[in-house]
Amino acid sequence: MQQLTEIRWHARAGQGAVTAAKLVAETALAADQYMQAMPEYGPERMGAPIKAFTRISPEPIDIHCNIENPNVVILLDDTLLDVVDVAEGLVADGTIIINTCTPPDAIKRALGLADSITVACVDASGIALDTIKRDIPNTPMVGALAKVTGAVEIDSVKSLLAKTFGKKFGQDIIDANLASVDRAYEEVTTA
Amino acid sequence: MPEQKTVATTGNSVVAEAFRQCAPDVVPAYPITPQTTIVEEFAKFVAQGRVHAEYVPVESEHSAMSACVGASAAGARVMTATSSQGLALMWEELHIASGMRLPIVMANANRALSAPINIHCDHSDVMGARDTGWVMLFAETAQEAYDNTIMSIPIAEDPEVLLPVMTCLDGFITTHSIDRVQLMDDESVSAFVGEYKPVNALLDLDNPVSHGSFAGLGGPYFEFKRSQREAIDRSKAVVERVGAAFSELSGRPFGLIETDMMDDAEVAVVVIGSTAGNVRHVAKQLRAEGVKAGLVKVRCFRPFPYAELAAALAGVKAVAVLDRAESFGAEGGPLYLETRSALYDAEHRPAVVNYVYGLGGSDVKLELIRSVFTDLSDIATGTPALHGPVYLGAR
């Protein structure tokens, strides 16, 4: 794994991007990594576009500035493709992971992205509706992140989910979330 | 060394945890962004019975500090937290707390002051409070915010000090980011801060005293102020002693100032708070490129470590002082003024330049820090140093 992985999350307020960024941070800690997770604070309205950031590193992280050149960009909502510049500042060999039904090569063409950039697509909302019975795409997207980048380990994600959700929810909800992570891990496609 | 628990959580969350572990008797508080989650989480601890404190949800920050003053004078261990406009509203009470020699501990989430309205990080709020007679500690990280908060109790309550302590952490950057933090167990913190033995408590009915009495013309006001000056001067040794003891317990370093790569540094940056991390990162990169760059982080601002700072800068050719606050009409920002003062008696005085940066949460990009070091290298090789603060990265 590389020295420092920087992730930028795009979502609409209420979709659980901050929870997902936190889950990734805790997964990193479980693997004895260092991490930062910070939402970008502004006026908070349900449905408004928001950003969140995660840093993961095997070494202590000194920097506290915004992430300008992420290695990974994650979109929890594909309607944001028309609203935000998802590829802004992305490193040349970066990865974009999108919750969408559109195939990755079509997205790559539509955004005019360089060949060196990896686009990964997964119908996280569809998976969430199937498994959790609600459109909460954040946990399946962490499953896709594990598959595409290896920044976090799938087993570690699942055991932490079981642990943190175990305090609040019943076994059926935990199982549904675990299933959503597994399915996103299996179903994500890249171009 | 006692076992510690490593967690992924926010600066505010670990400050609330430190509050709980310090077991205050009374916590009067009023919420304000970005301090809110400190008092919110502490109030939850009270409701859960995890700390036996009187939590007083007051109607303003002026009332919060008034209640702190009353409870502390009565003989209670008192803690609170605020930020920005809230700290400003406490103004007269800040002086009363220090003048009455009350060992109140307050966390401050460093935030800009209006106008215009801004909820993000800078040091305008706390730097405005630098002459109110409080001891002031600053954190770079959530870890330091946790450690400073615990150390504040024995510093404030030391019989040689008996002064309020402000423990400052950067709004949002430190308060709201999830970071990796090591927490002590309750017993270790409890033993470290000890039991509070109040001095001249109003509720000590066998030894009646009065607090904050009239000391007008011909009265002892002047001498009171001298004793306050002597107390904060004495506090320096106490901060060092408590810091060393906590360092021993936690395995983490503590200094009034903390230096990185300063042994042979030719260019150096002096800074407070979270930006020290950005400077360290860039200085390491520059070292790899052959530039003799260094960092001095000021962790204790009041009392100010003049001699230590002068010694750290002794061999340096050019120094940049980064201020996240203004002192309008002065030669530069508050940290710059102190640094220049520290160097006045030095045998070798380096060129010193001032940068005002990051006001209202303006992002402290690494290239900005790099540009500061480039300026310093130019000055070190003969370019005349600028006077008056440079607004780093302002459009």
Side-chain angles (χ1 to χ4, degrees), chain B residues 114-126:
Chain B
S114 294
I117 294 177
N118 183 296
I119 60 167
H120 291 279
C121 176
D122 69 35
H123 299 161
S124 306
D125 53 356
V126 279

Side-chain angles (χ1 to χ4, degrees), chain B residues 298-312:
Chain B
V298 177
R299 195 152 160 188
C300 179
F301 189 81
R302 284 288 182 268
F304 194 84
Y306 293 99
E308 291 77 4
L309 185 59

Side-chain angles (χ1 to χ4, degrees), chain B residues 6-299:
Chain B
T6 306
V7 297
T9 192
T10 64
N12 275 357
S13 184
V14 292
V15 168
E17 182 73 358
F19 271 42
R20 183 188 66 73
Q21 293 180 313
C22 290
D25 301 303
V26 180
V27 173
Y30 190 81
I32 179 169
T33 301
Q35 154 267 32
T36 307
T37 46
I38 297 176
V39 294
E40 191 177 295
E41 289 190 33
F42 185 80
K44 202 181 283 175
F45 290 144
V46 174
Q48 291 167 338
R50 295 185 62 202
V51 61
H52 300 288
E54 191 69 36
Y55 176 72
V56 193
V58 288
E59 76 280 15
S60 77
E61 286 87 356
H62 187 278
S63 302
M65 190 45 68
S66 299
C68 287
V69 165
S72 184
R77 176 177 285 171
V78 180
M79 300 178 85
T80 188
T82 193
S83 180
S84 182
Q85 307 301 122
L87 182 66
L89 189 56
M90 285 180 180
W91 218 251
E92 59 170 8
E93 301 298 324
L94 295 177
H95 285 271
I96 292 168
S98 61
M100 283 170 62
R101 307 291 300 279
L102 301 172
I104 298 161
V105 170
M106 175 162 68
N108 190 79
N110 309 327
R111 172 189 143 179
L113 287 173
S114 294
I117 294 177
N118 183 296
I119 60 167
H120 291 279
C121 176
D122 69 35
H123 299 161
S124 306
D125 53 356
V126 279
M127 283 303 168
R130 68 194 188 275
D131 292 338
T132 59
W134 287 56
V135 172
M136 294 170 71
L137 303 176
F138 280 83
E140 176 189 332
T141 57
Q143 182 71 66
E144 288 185 3
Y146 173 77
D147 295 351
N148 287 355
T149 305
I150 293 169
M151 281 182 263
S152 295
I153 295 282
I155 293 167
E157 294 174 0
D158 190 288
E160 291 290 301
V161 179
L162 292 175
L163 285 171
V165 179
M166 214 178 285
T167 167
C168 310
L169 62 159
D170 282 351
F172 289 109
I173 300 165
T174 315
T175 61
H176 282 62
S177 293
I178 293 170
D179 204 346
R180 177 169 160 151
V181 188
Q182 286 190 302
L183 302 178
M184 321 277 300
D185 62 82
D186 289 0
E187 293 70 30
S188 299
V189 175
S190 187
F192 184 79
V193 300
E195 195 180 325
Y196 179 42
K197 296 183 189 69
V199 178
N200 297 323
L202 287 175
L203 289 182
D204 179 1
L205 301 181
D206 297 330
N207 299 290
V209 291
S210 77
H211 273 258
S213 308
F214 185 68
L217 199 58
Y221 183 90
F222 195 32
E223 290 71 23
F224 254 94
K225 291 298 144 186
R226 182 180 60 192
S227 76
Q228 241 179 288
R229 148 64 71 173
E230 288 164 355
I232 202 157
D233 285 349
R234 280 196 303 270
S235 75
K236 188 174 150 190
V238 176
V239 174
E240 282 188 295
R241 194 180 70 228
V242 170
F246 189 79
S247 208
E248 179 100 347
L249 185 68
S250 65
R252 290 183 289 274
F254 176 86
L256 301 170
I257 59 166
E258 290 173 11
T259 57
D260 266 290
M261 298 162 278
M262 285 303 294
D263 286 348
D264 62 342
E266 291 177 354
V267 289
V269 168
V270 181
V271 69
I272 288 174
S274 59
T275 303
N278 298 14
V279 174
R280 187 180 305 108
H281 183 85
V282 172
K284 280 182 188 166
Q285 287 179 337
L286 289 170
R287 281 274 166 177
E289 295 165 23
V291 179
K292 289 185 173 168
L295 159 70
V296 181
K297 175 174 80 179
V298 177
R299 195 152 160 188

Side-chain angles (χ1 to χ4, degrees), chain B residues 304-341:
Chain B
F304 194 84
Y306 293 99
E308 291 77 4
L309 185 59
L313 297 174
V316 175
K317 289 180 182 162
V319 178
V321 182
L322 268 52
D323 269 293
R324 205 161 194 160
E326 255 291 13
S327 179
F328 293 114
E331 174 79 6
L335 182 58
Y336 172 75
L337 300 177
E338 300 297 5
T339 305
R340 294 263 289 197
S341 192

Side-chain angles (χ1 to χ4, degrees), chain A:
Chain A
M1 190 184 152
Q2 60 183 318
Q3 196 65 10
L4 174 67
T5 304
E6 296 188 309
I7 304 171
R8 183 174 71 219
W9 303 76
H10 292 280
R12 294 189 181 276
Q15 288 183 316
V18 175
T19 309
K22 193 166 183 222
L23 175 63
V24 169
E26 286 178 345
T27 309
L29 177 69
D32 199 27
Q33 305 263 319
Y34 290 81
M35 88 304 291
Q36 288 175 353
M38 54 271 185
E40 187 175 83
Y41 285 88
E44 286 162 30
R45 310 175 302 271
M46 286 289 270
I50 60 136
K51 282 190 264 188
F53 303 92
T54 310
R55 284 192 174 99
I56 304 172
S57 170
E59 302 290 328
I61 302 167
D62 277 329
I63 47 179
H64 298 287
C65 41
N66 292 344
I67 291 174
E68 305 254 304
N69 302 112
N71 307 93
V72 183
V73 174
I74 302 176
L75 248 82
L76 264 58
D77 188 322
D78 66 357
T79 64
L80 287 172
L81 282 169
D82 300 328
V83 182
V84 295
D85 179 4
V86 287
E88 187 185 6
L90 186 67
V91 298
D93 60 347
T95 302
I96 303 176
I97 309 174
I98 308 175
N99 169 22
T100 183
C101 297
T102 311
D105 50 348
I107 299 248
K108 206 166 182 174
R109 274 197 309 277
L111 293 178
L113 297 172
D115 283 344
S116 60
I117 292 183
T118 303
V119 175
C121 294
V122 62
D123 180 16
S125 288
I127 292 172
L129 284 169
D130 270 358
T131 52
I132 312 166
K133 310 294 178 198
R134 281 178 64 193
D135 184 4
I136 316 171
N138 59 353
T139 44
M141 287 302 278
V142 178
L145 173 72
K147 175 72 168 284
V148 176
T149 69
V152 288
E153 294 285 338
I154 180 85
D155 293 338
S156 185
V157 170
K158 286 168 66 182
S159 66
L160 262 165
L161 257 182
K163 201 170 108 191
T164 47
F165 279 35
K167 293 175 194 160
K168 285 192 212 166
F169 303 108
Q171 194 58 42
D172 49 338
I173 292 181
I174 298 168
D175 289 343
N177 274 278
L178 294 177
S180 78
V181 174
D182 273 333
R183 273 195 51 190
Y185 188 87
E186 294 304 326
E187 292 175 23
V188 65
T189 55
T190 57

